[in-house]
Amino acid sequence: MKVRFAPSPTGLLHVGNARQALVNWLLARASGGRYLLRIDDTDAERSTPQYARALEQDLTWLGLTWDEKAVQSERLDRYAAAAGRLTAAGRLYPCYETPEELGLKRKVALAAGRPPIYDRAALALSDAERDRLEAAGRRPHWRFRLLPGEIAWDDLVRGPAAFQAEHLSDPVLVREDGRPLYTLTSVVDDLELAITHVVRGEDHVANTAVQVQLFEALAGTGPAAVPAFGHLPLIAGAGGEALSKRLGSLSLASLRESGLEAMTINSYLARLGTPDPIEPFADLASLAAGFDIARFGRATPKFDPAELETLNARLLHALPFEAVAARLPTGFDPALWEAVRPNLTRLAEAEAWLAICRGPVVPQIADAAFAATAAGLLPPEPWDEATWGNWTAAVKQATGRKGKDLFLPLRLALTGLDRGPELKALLPLIGRERAEARLAGKAA
């Protein structure tokens, strides 16, 4: 098996792109196959090196490493050669209509109740008529002539799919300026780079019908000529809106900058659109082990950022110290991680708890006498998780306080905050010297 992810570097990758990248990667890894990254940059006006670098950074952050890489702008000679073969075979033909003329034909067809399919008028032009058009400055675009009949395949996601070629327009493969279009370049690359499975969005279903014939025209009709196809339903926003590369809030870059974990994104997207529960996975290998593309349904999945927030917290709460140690501030140790991770929603929040345990912290004390009494009852070190319970029991007996009236003032004095990790875990990390100073109202 060999799959590919083929983004165009015309904008930042969003979660819809990431889902397709991830599904292809998991499909390849679950089957022991290979993963190709193909940069579809033949749109010179909109493609930029900056976007190409950004999408590679996004994929690397997600852990979706590729086994091979191809860049379409470096393969233009291959597309020209394929177009030459199609022309020689009579399957690629020149057309001279302007965009305005084609638009008028479309309107006339629709007004007459006909589908707006290209009428193949260019095939009726004589050599002399073509010469006159070119002498007048017309430059042809080139269309692929579809053969009549049914085009069918067994879709990996949608099940049996079929189109009648007569209901489709002959697609343009080469523009007036000679640049090849996606329909051609994608097929040439898939053939020459030996892609066996093409998994992409359902907006490509009609393209697939056309490309099946194009595969056969370029490589024959044998079993190896046409890859297996799967078309995933496109993700919508939480309100049902379409996603876009220009919708910055759902770009991979913005999600990364917000502090979400890469495996939160992977865990969410791998299950989105399936009946399986969305749950945190610590690594991609675990996701790949149970991956089955047949689990994806045809309903439109909705991407809800609020679910990501919850999932990110669940992921952090389950991560061992070794998984995050390299990204934690200097001074963090396993005990501190175990103490604070149940309260984290972002890994960056851990730094604040390091400061609370190592100081200085400005304590909040409303009742100095109560704080002084509590300080006087601090037991000698060493401290462990039983210390908090033993100490607060002694303070309760001495002051008569209980519940919130007992615990909240102690938390405010020791941490400066009214909420946070369990103090039975934090107190030994704060230590007796700091605890005594903070109960005395000193920053320590």
Side-chain angles (χ1 to χ4, degrees):
M1 177 183 286
K2 186 176 180 182
V3 304
R4 45 80 161 176
F5 175 56
S8 298
T10 57
L12 296 175
L13 291 186
H14 59 64
V15 292
N17 309 128
R19 181 175 181 243
Q20 293 182 27
L22 174 66
V23 168
N24 275 283
W25 192 93
L26 292 173
L27 180 64
R29 294 297 181 255
S31 305
R34 295 179 64 77
Y35 186 74
L36 167 73
L37 172 62
R38 192 183 79 204
I39 307 297
D40 287 6
D41 61 346
T42 56
D43 185 345
E45 286 90 359
R46 298 172 58 218
S47 297
T48 70
Q50 292 82 3
Y51 282 135
R53 288 193 293 271
L55 69 87
E56 291 191 24
Q57 290 169 357
D58 287 339
L59 293 175
T60 300
W61 175 62
L62 290 175
L64 307 181
T65 53
W66 49 93
D67 303 302
E68 299 177 41
K69 178 183 169 183
V71 180
Q72 286 197 328
S73 61
E74 299 173 358
R75 294 175 48 79
L76 296 178
D77 59 328
R78 306 306 307 150
Y79 313 136
R85 296 197 303 275
L86 292 170
T87 303
R91 297 295 296 278
L92 196 64
Y93 62 96
C95 301
Y96 294 86
E97 295 92 347
T98 65
E100 293 76 18
E101 290 168 343
L102 290 172
L104 180 59
K105 286 187 176 186
R106 178 181 178 87
K107 289 181 180 178
V108 169
L110 290 172
R114 302 192 308 270
I117 296 172
Y118 179 61
D119 60 9
R120 291 183 169 175
L123 287 174
L125 293 174
S126 66
D127 290 343
E129 288 172 320
R130 284 193 289 269
D131 290 343
R132 281 197 299 272
L133 287 168
E134 293 193 10
R138 294 281 185 103
R139 292 291 176 266
H141 56 273
W142 296 77
R143 290 182 182 267
F144 177 62
R145 183 169 58 85
L146 295 171
L147 301 180
E150 184 181 67
I151 305 170
W153 70 93
D154 189 13
D155 198 281
L156 298 172
V157 177
R158 298 166 63 88
F163 285 77
Q164 287 299 131
E166 296 89 340
H167 298 163
L168 301 171
S169 280
D170 290 346
V172 177
L173 299 191
V174 182
R175 291 171 34 148
E176 291 85 348
D177 59 7
R179 277 187 292 168
L181 294 178
Y182 169 84
T183 305
L184 174 64
T185 60
S186 185
V187 170
V188 172
D189 289 339
D190 288 341
L191 279 172
E192 296 189 357
L193 301 175
I195 299 300
T196 64
H197 292 69
V198 175
V199 178
R200 53 190 179 182
E202 64 181 6
D203 52 332
H204 284 285
V205 171
N207 283 341
T208 295
V210 167
Q211 288 179 325
V212 166
Q213 282 208 8
L214 191 50
F215 274 106
E216 294 171 348
L218 288 172
T221 58
V226 182
F229 286 97
H231 296 87
L232 294 168
L234 301 182
I235 295 177
E241 70 278 9
L243 302 186
S244 166
K245 288 182 180 178
R246 294 166 184 81
L247 191 62
S249 62
L250 292 182
S251 70
L252 268 294
S254 68
L255 294 174
R256 179 171 65 249
E257 290 165 5
S258 76
L260 290 174
E261 297 292 302
M263 279 309 302
T264 296
I265 308 296
N266 288 328
S267 299
Y268 186 74
L269 295 178
R271 293 287 180 86
L272 189 64
T274 76
D276 301 318
I278 294 176
E279 54 191 1
F281 284 81
D283 52 61
L284 283 165
S286 301
L287 269 179
F291 181 76
D292 181 1
I293 195 170
R295 302 294 292 167
F296 288 91
R298 294 187 59 177
T300 299
K302 292 185 178 180
F303 182 91
D304 186 352
E307 292 187 53
L308 276 185
E309 298 293 326
T310 302
L311 188 63
N312 200 69
R314 290 177 61 197
L315 178 69
L316 289 174
H317 299 170
L319 286 179
F321 177 73
E322 295 75 18
V324 294
R327 295 190 290 142
L328 289 170
T330 301
F332 240 90
D333 56 30
L336 180 54
W337 174 249
E338 291 296 323
V340 305
R341 70 176 180 175
N343 284 76
L344 299 179
T345 60
R346 296 286 195 281
L347 188 64
E349 297 165 1
E351 186 170 3
W353 291 108
L354 176 64
I356 284 171
C357 291
R358 301 291 184 258
V361 165
V362 177
Q364 296 187 44
I365 296 178
D367 186 338
F370 169 74
T373 299
L377 294 171
L378 285 170
E381 291 181 311
W383 287 357
D384 56 25
E385 285 201 352
T387 302
W388 169 255
N390 295 333
W391 175 51
T392 53
V395 175
K396 176 181 178 181
Q397 184 174 2
T399 65
R401 294 197 182 197
K402 58 183 178 180
K404 184 178 180 181
D405 290 339
L406 170 65
F407 299 119
L408 182 57
L410 294 178
R411 179 178 287 279
L412 288 169
L414 293 171
T415 69
L417 301 173
D418 61 0
R419 62 179 59 86
E422 292 189 50
L423 280 168
K424 70 176 183 179
L426 283 187
L427 186 61
L429 301 173
I430 293 171
R432 193 181 194 286
E433 182 178 349
R434 288 191 190 90
E436 188 172 29
R438 292 175 187 179
L439 288 164
K442 301 175 184 177

